[in-house]
Amino acid sequence: MRHLLATVAGKAVKAVARLRGGGSALPGLVAEKIDPQFLPRTLGKLPRGVVVISGTNGKTTTTKMVVELLQGQGLKVFTNRTGSNFTRGVVASVLGDSDARGRLDADIAVLELDEAHAVHFVKLVRPRYSLLLNVMRDQLDRFGEIETTAGFLRQIAAATTDAVVLNREDPRILALATAVAAPRVEYFGLAPQLRHMFPHDDEMRNAVAAVVPGAEAAVTGEGQPEGPRADVVLSACEGSAATFQVDGRGIEVELKLTGVYNVFNAAAALVLARTVLGPAVDEPALLASLENVTPAFGRGESLTVNGQPLDLVLVKNPAGFRLALKSFPAAGTRTMIAINDNYADGRDMSWLWDVDFDSLRETGVAEVSGVRAQDMGLRLFYEDVPVGRFGTDLNASLHRFIADDPDTPKRIYCTYTAMLALRRELSKLTEVEVVS
């Protein structure tokens, strides 16, 4: 009875919130207040259980990849599409997809979860599978030191019942293998020649990586240990073309996703999908699904304005911003950077000083905007990157950015709340996917 009441009340609040244009977590708050066991009552009934995906960078796009890979194998998948990755956001997503009695028509749930909030989630619902991507310095005002974030992910690994998928190239993720109680641990990894493209947090600071004892080691031709054997290894990538080593075979794919980081995330998604599906996996269909995945909203999403592409690229920490700048050449493109410091962005923007902006020196940045526009402008000044204009009004900056050179392709690097605001304003100018 309590579950039914929570469903009715939550759906009502969600309908009102949608009419007012926001409030994705509010329906979850209402439903949880009425029925604290709302999530386990709903998700506990799914025949294939729950998958949790977490880590500092790449959660949203990797979740989208996994969802589409499993759907391509005929599974009905529930997910939190909005990217609202707190527990209440998951409740709100359940309310949007469930019937009047709070039941989901799904075989499996694949959920992106914020590292800290995932700890609360796994106490309510133990995941059958989990994928832990990486640990980077991010939102230090929330998480404190990086070891705190690693500790959150350790609790996810310990709560998972069937299998955990880990990034063997990140020493803090690799160390989580000792916390796994599940019978299976699988890995995704990189060929040695690609490791410089995806530095882990210690390498970004010229520190010596931690050595994790007790792992079965594969060895390169030069006799250097690679770490535990990986189910899928990214062995080559150039642009959107990638080669993965799977079961000793090289598999070539052409991705629609943009950004080198998403190519490595594709290796993670493949391992997780193969782990969930087991021997029944249809590999040709799996690869076809992977090749057709498009960017998640705001994560390299490409819109069309005045007949020209406008790309939205989410940035939220040094590693992500560095890889984004490496992934998207500045030449021939007009650039804008929008930095907010709302709670969902992280209030501490000192991380901007850990990003190298030299790739923007030649073209400059046409517009710098957002609540922390002055901070961003100062960082670019010290990097000798010319800036056209500054402004804290995102909408005004966006319209100026578009109008000043309407015939040139454009790219906006933006923090999370800036991205949401820009998408809302862009929806008045062009077709923007509605995610609710």
Side-chain angles (χ1 to χ4, degrees):
M1 184 64 182
R2 179 176 289 186
H3 182 71
L4 178 59
L5 180 59
T7 299
V8 173
K11 283 180 173 290
V13 172
K14 188 173 181 68
V16 172
R18 186 181 292 116
L19 290 174
R20 298 183 64 178
S24 65
L26 180 59
L29 171 62
V30 171
E32 278 191 317
K33 286 290 185 183
I34 296 171
D35 182 9
Q37 295 298 305
F38 182 86
L39 278 179
R41 290 186 211 278
T42 306
L43 300 179
K45 298 175 182 177
L46 299 179
R48 284 180 173 257
V50 174
V51 177
V52 166
I53 297 174
S54 195
T56 305
N57 288 328
K59 295 185 290 291
T60 301
T61 299
T62 306
T63 299
K64 187 173 189 288
M65 281 192 269
V66 173
V67 168
E68 295 189 25
L69 291 179
L70 296 181
Q71 287 175 333
Q73 302 287 307
L75 295 183
K76 291 182 286 186
V77 184
F78 164 73
T79 189
N80 48 335
R81 289 187 68 242
T82 65
S84 181
N85 54 22
F86 295 2
T87 303
R88 286 172 185 164
V90 176
V91 175
S93 295
V94 170
L95 291 167
D97 283 21
S98 61
D99 63 19
R101 300 186 64 83
R103 295 172 299 197
L104 288 170
D105 182 21
D107 299 308
I108 191 169
V110 178
L111 304 174
E112 168 199 350
L113 287 175
D114 169 86
E115 300 94 302
H117 287 264
V119 173
H120 302 293
F121 178 88
V122 299
K123 291 177 182 176
L124 290 170
V125 181
R126 294 190 68 183
R128 188 172 293 181
Y129 308 94
S130 62
L131 165 60
L132 305 178
L133 294 164
N134 44 58
V135 184
M136 298 286 184
R137 293 173 199 273
D138 180 34
Q139 298 191 47
L140 297 183
D141 52 304
R142 283 186 61 213
F143 296 141
E145 268 304 309
I146 189 170
E147 299 303 335
T148 303
T149 309
F152 293 147
L153 298 181
R154 177 174 291 272
Q155 293 182 61
I156 300 171
T160 304
T161 63
D162 286 25
V164 178
V165 177
L166 300 176
N167 176 1
R168 79 168 186 195
E169 312 303 341
D170 187 317
R172 289 182 176 84
I173 295 294
L174 188 58
L176 301 182
T178 60
V180 175
R184 289 183 65 188
V185 181
E186 299 289 351
Y187 297 90
F188 63 100
L190 296 164
Q193 66 271 20
L194 296 185
R195 287 188 183 135
H196 71 282
M197 298 174 61
F198 305 91
H200 56 72
D201 195 84
D202 290 333
E203 289 172 332
M204 288 180 64
R205 288 160 180 78
N206 298 316
V208 177
V211 177
V212 181
E216 178 191 2
V219 177
T220 68
E222 294 77 28
Q224 297 299 317
E226 286 189 342
R229 300 183 189 280
D231 183 58
V232 175
V233 173
L234 175 63
S235 58
C237 66
E238 183 174 351
S240 58
T243 302
F244 299 103
Q245 297 296 321
V246 182
D247 297 330
R249 297 171 292 117
I251 297 174
E252 296 181 0
V253 296
E254 188 75 30
L255 302 173
K256 291 182 179 178
L257 294 165
T258 53
V260 293
Y261 43 88
N262 281 330
V263 181
F264 191 32
N265 291 337
L270 280 173
V271 176
L272 181 56
R274 283 164 52 87
T275 301
V276 171
L277 294 164
V281 63
D282 180 343
E283 187 177 277
L286 194 72
L287 297 175
S289 295
L290 183 65
E291 290 189 320
N292 285 315
V293 178
T294 56
F297 76 100
R299 279 76 171 179
E301 176 183 27
S302 189
L303 309 175
T304 302
V305 179
N306 295 329
Q308 296 292 335
L310 187 154
D311 298 331
L312 290 173
V313 183
L314 177 69
V315 293
K316 64 189 187 76
N317 54 49
F321 211 152
R322 284 186 180 193
L323 284 171
L325 290 169
K326 184 185 295 186
S327 298
F328 301 101
T333 303
R334 186 173 172 83
T335 300
M336 174 175 166
I337 301 177
I339 306 294
N340 279 354
D341 66 348
N342 298 314
Y343 177 77
D345 307 299
R347 305 307 302 273
D348 180 4
M349 288 292 126
S350 62
W351 62 267
L352 292 170
W353 293 86
D354 291 330
V355 182
D356 299 320
F357 292 96
D358 56 323
S359 64
L360 298 176
R361 281 184 192 143
E362 186 173 342
T363 61
V365 176
E367 194 86 31
V368 173
S369 188
V371 177
R372 300 296 286 270
Q374 295 299 325
D375 299 75
M376 186 69 247
L378 181 65
R379 176 69 189 97
L380 294 174
F381 171 80
Y382 277 98
E383 197 79 67
D384 295 323
V385 176
V387 175
R389 298 190 186 186
F390 295 91
T392 56
D393 186 326
L394 275 173
N395 290 348
S397 295
L398 174 65
H399 286 285
R400 190 164 57 223
F401 176 64
I402 293 170
D404 283 353
D405 194 351
D407 298 325
T408 301
K410 297 171 179 64
R411 183 171 300 118
I412 305 176
Y413 298 99
C414 45
T415 56
Y416 184 71
T417 65
M419 179 264 291
L420 295 179
L422 290 167
R423 287 182 94 254
R424 284 194 296 269
E425 192 64 18
L426 284 164
S427 68
K428 302 174 185 178
L429 306 176
T430 188
E431 184 177 346
V432 177
E433 180 189 7
V434 177
V435 181
S436 61

